[in-house]
Amino acid sequence: MTSDAASQISVGALSAIFDETKPQIREPIVQCVQIKPLPPQQNNQERYRAVFSDISNYVQTMLATPEANRFVTSGQLRKGCFVRLKAFQANSVKGKKILIILDLEVLQDLGEAEKIGEPKPLENKMEEDEKSQPTTISSNGFYGSKIQPAPMQATSRPAQPRPATASHATIYPIEAISPYSHKWTIKARCTSKSNIRTWHNRNGEGKLFSVNLLDDSGEIRATGFNDQCDMLYDIFQEGSVYYISSPCGVKIAKKQFTNLSNDYELTFERDTVVEKAEDQTDVPQIRFSFTTIGDLQSVEKDTTIDTIGVLKEAGEVSQIMSKTTNKPYSKRELTLVDNTGFSVRLTVWGSTALNFNVIPESVIAFKGVKVSDFGGRSLSLLSSGSMTIDPDIEEAHKLKGWYDAQGRDETFTSHASMPGAATPTKTAQHKTVAQVKEEQLGMSDEVAYFSLKATVIYIKQDTMCYPACLSEGCNKKVTELDPGQWRCERCDKTHPRPEYRYIMLISVSDHTGQLYLSCFDEVGRSMMGITADQLMEIRQNDEKAAGDIFQEANCRTWSFRCRAKVDNFGDQQR
């Protein structure tokens, strides 16, 4: 079997890939002599490196597509086997050669064998280097041998190019883009384009815009700053397909600014080329990764997801004031259901809310919604997200069939009535104050949850709230530097005013005893009937009126859902 396999190997093919003056071998056959996983990325996406040999040379490679990865996870691609390289990208990074593998075939009929021959690393071109170079394959570093007489120019040429146009002979899949990729062209659909945003800070000012790009293999976010913003913003149109060619910056994605799962994002550079494609039909319209409504309880707060459901109800448009810009924003709350038996509230904003005219009982697919734990579980459509009405996809057809057959008459469990993210699996048993103390709830390493019906007998007024940052989702305490100058160290911003938030210490009592509870902003609003901001304004203008509000809140009975745990403050446990 070894001699038969050896005769099949395309000797010299790897060297020829990086030297256009040599005869090229179409779909070369090589031997896998090493395979290892790469460190996991932010989204735990699996990636592997492999070393392939053509008997004369060996080269480091990266498997760049989910299809190629599956050969490893299925056990087909392993050390000693023989493969046919069907599509790949040849690159030279700082003089070190690497192949990005896009498609391959494991030749199972050739079996497996020990390493055939004594292949040399491709980095060494000179004969004397080859004589002195060890023949063992190093596992140190992604690119193999460190010895390299002179850097060569980056090349980008697959063995089996997919023609697009005369000027775009090779199309690179988005999934394969990484900082190791050079000289590439992608063909992608612009699925989302942001408005131009400006910034002003101590380092200067500028502007930017972002687009989401999609092809068959995946999605990636791309951003243009300043001059590139001016040059490219009008070129991109949502729904259109473009060729985008390097040079283009590739860096680790900032997950707080994107709803895509890619580990990387692009930055347009001065010489980045963007051209609208003549053929607009061979790239998918949109790509979803759905989370069912029933599974939302197990999704962490602030996660960005895609979801699909039947529109049960659409509320009226209302307006809220932005805390940061002090401008009104339009919002509309939708109720979605699906065949898991759950319903969820989803909020859409701005022009989407104003122009929303979808007929109830339509199926809507949402891409890029943020999960909140406000009132159990709720969703909010991000500005970078989108919604598709009655999409022509399998999930939508199944939902429509289920709803017409039985869903219309079902009763749904609302996420708004369920406990928040902190207690998805905890049962909050009803306790008396005496039971809480006798069972020493929260005094062990395990956090305890319980319900308590008790009457408020005391509210500590001198530290009932704190000045918080106005940035959305921050809520950190700010410091007043000067009048009208409130500084947040976490956001590195200065605000003209704070937003006061409750952090109340109260004493409650039932027929068995008395207990102190700490209450945060949502609970404080319910108990006091107004926001901490409003209460502070009243207190500054009329101390007696503020005292009346505290008096009104006292001696009222509530059902509290409590979380108890030991806290360390200095050297003391409390």
Side-chain angles (χ1 to χ4, degrees):
M1 181 64 71
T2 301
S3 60
D4 291 341
S7 66
Q8 298 287 329
I9 292 180
S10 306
V11 180
L14 297 179
S15 176
I17 289 171
F18 293 90
D19 187 348
E20 295 183 355
T21 64
K22 294 182 179 180
Q24 300 299 305
I25 300 175
R26 180 181 172 83
E27 296 189 355
I29 296 175
V30 294
Q31 184 185 24
C32 177
V33 294
Q34 188 182 83
I35 188 159
K36 286 189 175 183
L38 288 169
Q41 303 297 320
Q42 286 184 349
N43 64 356
N44 294 321
Q45 186 177 8
E46 57 190 10
R47 292 183 184 271
Y48 297 94
R49 73 171 185 180
V51 179
F52 291 132
S53 163
D54 67 1
I55 299 180
S56 292
N57 299 101
Y58 68 80
V59 68
Q60 300 275 353
T61 74
M62 183 176 75
L63 308 186
T65 64
E67 290 74 16
N69 287 340
R70 279 194 278 273
F71 282 107
V72 181
T73 55
S74 67
Q76 296 180 63
L77 180 59
R78 52 185 180 269
K79 184 177 179 181
C81 74
F82 300 89
V83 303
R84 175 180 284 111
L85 303 181
K86 301 179 71 174
F88 50 82
Q89 197 85 7
N91 282 282
S92 179
V93 182
K94 296 182 179 179
K96 299 172 183 179
K97 300 177 182 65
I98 181 174
L99 277 185
I100 308 295
I101 305 300
L102 309 177
D103 191 15
L104 57 83
E105 176 188 358
V106 178
L107 304 176
Q108 296 181 342
D109 57 325
L110 294 182
E112 301 174 27
E114 293 295 320
K115 183 181 70 174
I116 299 174
E118 294 294 335
K120 304 293 191 295
L122 270 178
E123 272 69 36
N124 301 299
K125 305 286 286 185
M126 301 175 64
E127 184 176 348
E128 59 267 29
D129 285 339
E130 291 185 357
K131 290 179 181 178
S132 62
Q133 179 68 16
T135 58
T136 56
I137 297 175
S138 170
S139 62
N140 296 325
F142 185 87
Y143 300 105
S145 170
K146 298 290 184 184
I147 301 176
Q148 172 64 29
M152 61 181 287
Q153 294 298 315
T155 62
S156 179
R157 184 174 47 80
Q160 191 178 14
R162 292 179 287 167
T165 67
S167 61
H168 300 103
T170 302
I171 302 302
Y172 206 77
I174 286 176
E175 174 65 26
I177 289 178
S178 74
Y180 312 114
S181 310
H182 293 263
K183 242 181 173 181
W184 46 259
T185 295
I186 60 174
K187 185 179 183 182
R189 189 179 302 278
C190 173
T191 59
S192 174
K193 182 175 86 166
S194 74
N195 294 324
I196 293 177
R197 297 189 289 273
T198 59
W199 77 85
H200 305 268
N201 57 32
R202 64 178 67 177
N203 298 320
E205 59 184 44
K207 55 186 171 181
L208 63 88
F209 83 104
S210 297
V211 291
N212 288 349
L213 302 171
L214 165 74
D215 70 4
D216 284 315
S217 71
E219 295 177 272
I220 197 165
R221 179 174 179 263
T223 302
F225 294 89
N226 299 326
D227 291 345
Q228 283 64 49
C229 181
D230 293 334
M231 288 169 36
L232 299 176
Y233 186 79
D234 291 334
I235 294 177
F236 280 105
Q237 296 176 331
E238 288 188 2
S240 296
V241 178
Y242 299 87
Y243 293 109
I244 300 159
S245 302
S246 60
C248 192
V250 182
K251 60 183 181 180
I252 298 294
K254 296 180 179 178
K255 296 297 184 180
Q256 67 270 36
F257 299 128
T258 179
N259 61 334
L260 306 182
S261 61
N262 203 315
D263 294 329
Y264 301 107
E265 61 184 36
L266 304 177
T267 303
F268 296 127
E269 298 180 353
R270 183 183 62 184
D271 297 323
T272 303
V273 178
V274 178
E275 304 171 66
K276 192 169 183 177
E278 293 182 8
D279 184 358
Q280 296 276 313
T281 62
D282 61 344
V283 176
Q285 296 286 338
I286 196 165
R287 186 185 184 95
F288 294 104
S289 179
F290 291 124
T291 298
T292 66
I293 297 175
D295 287 339
L296 290 177
Q297 200 65 22
S298 61
V299 178
E300 290 187 13
K301 174 181 178 290
D302 295 333
T303 302
T304 301
I305 64 163
D306 304 341
T307 195
I308 186 170
V310 177
L311 178 64
K312 192 73 171 175
E313 184 180 342
E316 296 297 323
V317 175
S318 61
Q319 287 194 332
I320 62 170
M321 295 297 293
S322 168
K323 298 173 184 176
T324 54
T325 64
N326 206 31
K327 294 180 180 179
Y329 278 86
S330 298
K331 60 177 287 192
R332 188 190 297 262
E333 293 187 349
L334 314 177
T335 301
L336 296 180
V337 299
D338 70 3
N339 54 4
T340 61
F342 282 83
S343 68
V344 69
R345 185 180 74 253
L346 189 151
T347 305
V348 294
W349 304 88
S351 60
T352 304
L354 289 170
N355 302 326
F356 188 88
N357 58 356
V358 181
I359 301 172
E361 302 190 351
S362 299
V363 176
I364 311 180
F366 290 89
K367 182 171 187 63
V369 292
K370 183 178 179 181
V371 179
S372 167
D373 63 353
F374 181 74
R377 274 294 185 273
S378 58
L379 302 174
S380 178
L381 182 63
L382 298 172
S383 59
S384 59
S386 62
M387 67 179 188
T388 307
I389 315 303
D390 291 321
D392 186 13
I393 56 177
E394 182 181 356
E395 293 90 344
H397 300 320
K398 285 183 177 179
L399 269 181
K400 189 65 175 174
W402 156 79
Y403 191 80
D404 289 342
Q406 64 186 85
R408 185 176 285 107
D409 301 319
E410 286 191 12
T411 301
F412 297 92
T413 302
S414 172
H415 277 291
S417 62
M418 301 184 68
T423 63
T425 58
K426 301 291 183 180
T427 301
Q429 294 183 335
H430 181 79
K431 301 287 184 182
T432 64
V433 171
Q435 288 174 321
V436 171
K437 294 181 176 180
E438 290 168 5
E439 297 173 20
Q440 294 189 314
L441 296 182
M443 295 303 291
S444 63
D445 292 336
E446 185 176 349
V447 178
Y449 300 88
F450 61 91
S451 293
L452 174 71
K453 186 174 182 179
T455 301
V456 178
I457 59 174
Y458 169 73
I459 302 174
K460 189 175 183 181
Q461 298 185 26
D462 54 348
T463 55
M464 54 98 182
C465 63
Y466 73 98
C469 177
L470 285 175
S471 298
E472 185 176 355
C474 179
N475 297 334
K476 290 294 183 182
K477 185 176 181 179
V478 293
T479 305
E480 186 176 21
L481 304 179
D482 292 301
Q485 298 285 316
W486 294 81
R487 180 71 179 166
C488 177
E489 296 300 332
R490 176 182 176 181
C491 297
D492 194 24
K493 291 181 180 178
T494 301
H495 300 287
R497 63 177 182 83
E499 178 199 18
Y500 285 95
R501 295 177 62 86
Y502 287 113
I503 183 168
M504 298 166 56
L505 179 67
I506 65 173
S507 177
V508 299
S509 176
D510 67 4
H511 64 285
T512 66
Q514 175 266 334
L515 195 66
Y516 278 99
L517 300 177
S518 295
C519 304
F520 297 101
D521 197 53
E522 285 183 40
V523 176
R525 291 185 187 199
S526 297
M527 292 180 57
M528 304 303 294
I530 58 174
T531 67
D533 254 351
Q534 294 168 327
L535 182 56
M536 283 296 289
E537 185 176 355
I538 293 171
R539 198 178 208 182
Q540 290 169 4
N541 297 325
D542 189 342
E543 188 74 33
K544 182 180 183 303
D548 291 341
I549 293 172
F550 279 101
Q551 190 65 32
E552 181 69 22
N554 210 4
C555 298
R556 296 179 66 186
T557 301
W558 297 83
S559 290
F560 297 94
R561 188 167 65 243
C562 305
R563 176 176 182 264
K565 74 181 188 72
V566 173
D567 187 20
N568 291 299
F569 186 77
D571 296 329
Q572 292 184 333
Q573 280 191 340
R574 59 183 186 182

